[in-house]
């Protein structure tokens, strides 16, 4: 009863804030959204859409729940525990082939330029891909086994036999780098590189995406049966977050405040920094002039090709199996 009362009062408050009647608020369609990870700056459009009433304008009452990785979110959406999820498009491709099922599809791409990079301390001598030869790589087993460091090496003529690989599990690779136990690590330029740089100056990170290896990242995913039964919910959700994204760009501080209102235990400085720096990863060269959320066919094909070649993904997947742009506002208008 307490949960119901709080939800009802929340609906009344939202209705008042938007100039709507409480009866309208109660008619909103409940939608559950699971993020890929614990809330970060990259998730700002969802919280701005919620706080600004953009979801409500589309007839939606969206509950936003933190995740623990793309794989968990894909499973949760696939099981019907959540209506919409945020997960890496590359992870979705792998999950579909591994499961042998064609049940989930992405409807928008949010992070399209992979932040994965080579991170090294200033003075390491690592200024180009070939410079990692003769050096020590610190990485966890999963990072090494996903095959992308091998793809990076092949694309740039690197002899991996000349790289000493040191497996460091438990997230201690940054510590090892700072202590000098390894020469470089394989992580996200932001925020991993930023965390290292806060302790010691670093060389400019070498982004895999700038050297021929790009796996499409965070995307909006839904079950295909849910999409077929609720097309207006999905298109309305996308309309709302695209409106919110414009607000995020116009006022990053207000976007941070929207997150803090819902996640008061978050670090406001880190959230703001993430909001600002993650903008550089929203587009690839192929989508630079396309609307937010639109994914280019060639980028999907590259993702599939890389996963088949280096991650052992079974062949046969097509871009249309894992992505559609038919529900983005540009396609609906």
């Amino acid at each position: 009863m307490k949960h119901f009362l709080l939800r009802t009062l929340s609906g009344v408050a939202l209705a008042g804030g938007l100039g709507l009647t409480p009866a309208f608020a109660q008619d909103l369609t409940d939608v559950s959204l699971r993020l890929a990870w614990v809330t970060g700056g990259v998730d700002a459009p969802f919280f701005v859409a919620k706080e600004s009433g953009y979801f409500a304008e589309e007839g939606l009452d969206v509950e936003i729940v933190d995740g623990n990785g793309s794989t968990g979110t894909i499973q949760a959406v696939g099981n019907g525990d959540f209506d919409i999820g945020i997960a890496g498009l590359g992870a979705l491709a792998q999950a579909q082939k591994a499961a042998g099922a064609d049940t989930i599809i992405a409807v928008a791409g949010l992070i399209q330029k992979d932040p994965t990079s080579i991170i090294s301390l200033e003075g390491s001598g690592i200024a180009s891909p070939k410079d990692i030869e003769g050096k020590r790589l610190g990485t966890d087993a999963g990072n090494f086994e996903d095959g992308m460091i091998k793809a990076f090496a092949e694309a740039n003529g690197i002899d991996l036999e000349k790289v000493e690989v040191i497996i460091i599990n438990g997230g201690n690779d940054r510590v090892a780098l700072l202590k000098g136990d390894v020469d470089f690590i394989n992580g996200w330029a932001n925020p991993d590189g930023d965390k290292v740089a806060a302790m010691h100056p670093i060389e400019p990170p070498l982004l895999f995406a700038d050297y021929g290896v790009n796996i499409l990242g965070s995307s909006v995913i839904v079950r295909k049966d849910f999409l077929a039964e609720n097309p207006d919910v999905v298109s309305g959700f996308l309309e709302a977050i695209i409106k919110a994204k414009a607000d995020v760009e116009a006022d990053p501080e207000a976007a941070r405040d929207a997150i803090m209102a819902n996640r008061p235990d978050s670090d406001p400085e880190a959230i703001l920094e993430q909001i600002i720096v993650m903008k550089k990863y929203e587009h690839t060269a192929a989508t630079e002039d396309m609307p937010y959320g639109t994914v280019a066919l060639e980028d999907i094909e590259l993702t599939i090709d890389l996963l088949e070649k280096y991650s052992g993904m079974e062949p046969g997947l097509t871009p249309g199996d894992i992505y559609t742009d038919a529900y983005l506002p540009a396609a609906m208008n």
Side-chain angles (χ1 to χ4, degrees):
M1 177 64 73
K2 181 179 179 182
H3 175 75
F4 175 78
L5 178 60
L6 288 173
R7 188 180 185 88
T8 301
L9 289 173
S10 174
V12 171
L14 176 62
L18 296 175
L20 305 173
T21 65
F24 177 89
Q26 292 174 1
D27 288 339
L28 298 178
T29 299
D30 291 336
V31 176
S32 56
L33 168 66
R34 175 165 163 143
L35 303 178
W37 297 98
V38 172
T39 297
V42 68
D43 303 307
F46 311 124
F47 292 94
V48 171
K50 185 178 182 71
E51 292 296 306
S52 297
Y54 294 148
F55 282 142
E57 288 176 7
E58 299 297 332
L60 309 177
D61 181 8
V62 179
E63 178 187 17
I64 307 172
V65 178
D66 288 358
N68 62 355
S70 288
T71 299
T73 294
I74 291 167
Q75 291 173 344
V77 172
N79 292 337
D81 296 332
F82 288 84
D83 302 315
I84 299 175
I86 307 301
L89 193 55
L92 176 60
Q94 291 174 299
Q96 285 209 7
K97 291 304 293 184
D102 184 23
T103 59
I104 299 176
I105 195 163
V107 291
L110 308 180
I111 298 298
Q112 299 187 33
K113 185 174 182 179
D114 188 355
T116 299
S117 67
I118 298 298
I119 302 168
S120 65
L121 300 183
E122 187 176 74
S124 66
I126 300 177
S128 67
K130 284 283 284 184
D131 293 335
I132 70 172
E133 292 184 353
K135 302 293 196 303
R136 299 165 298 168
L137 162 64
T139 183
D140 66 38
N143 240 4
F144 188 69
E145 291 169 2
D146 72 4
M148 290 307 106
I149 186 69
K150 299 170 187 174
F152 176 75
E154 182 172 315
N156 294 281
I158 298 166
D159 183 355
L160 269 185
E161 293 295 322
K162 296 180 180 178
V163 176
E164 181 182 355
V165 178
I166 301 173
I167 301 299
I168 304 172
N169 291 317
N172 292 315
D173 53 344
R174 293 194 302 269
V175 174
L177 178 63
L178 289 165
K179 289 173 62 179
D181 294 335
V182 299
D183 300 306
F184 69 98
I185 61 175
N186 171 203
W188 276 22
N190 310 101
D192 297 326
D194 298 326
K195 291 176 181 177
V196 175
M199 304 296 292
H200 190 289
I202 64 173
E203 295 290 347
L206 305 179
L207 285 169
F208 282 22
D210 288 338
Y211 292 95
V213 179
N214 189 56
I215 300 292
L216 290 165
S218 295
S219 304
V220 179
I221 65 169
V222 295
R223 293 188 315 281
K224 292 181 180 179
D225 60 350
F226 180 85
L227 182 58
E229 295 167 7
N230 303 276
D232 292 342
V233 168
V234 175
S235 61
F237 177 89
L238 296 177
E239 180 83 45
I241 66 169
I242 288 171
K243 286 182 183 176
K245 184 61 177 62
D247 289 357
V248 172
E249 293 188 7
D251 194 343
E253 289 83 4
R256 172 206 54 203
D257 294 343
I259 290 179
M260 296 305 300
N262 290 270
R263 300 291 190 270
D265 293 335
S266 296
D267 179 342
E269 291 185 7
I271 290 293
L272 180 59
E273 181 180 4
Q274 291 164 18
I275 289 172
I276 293 170
V277 302
M278 291 309 290
K279 178 176 172 53
K280 69 178 77 171
Y281 303 112
E282 291 167 5
H283 294 278
T284 66
T287 63
E288 199 63 51
D289 297 323
M290 294 182 182
Y292 175 68
T294 306
V295 183
L297 177 64
E298 64 194 81
D299 289 331
I300 305 176
E301 291 174 335
L302 175 61
T303 291
I304 292 172
D305 181 64
L306 288 168
L307 292 172
E308 289 179 352
K309 190 172 182 180
Y310 298 103
S311 292
M313 187 175 78
E314 291 293 324
L317 202 66
T318 68
D321 293 329
I322 56 174
Y323 173 75
T324 176
D325 62 4
Y327 298 86
L328 287 165
M332 300 293 290
N333 296 331

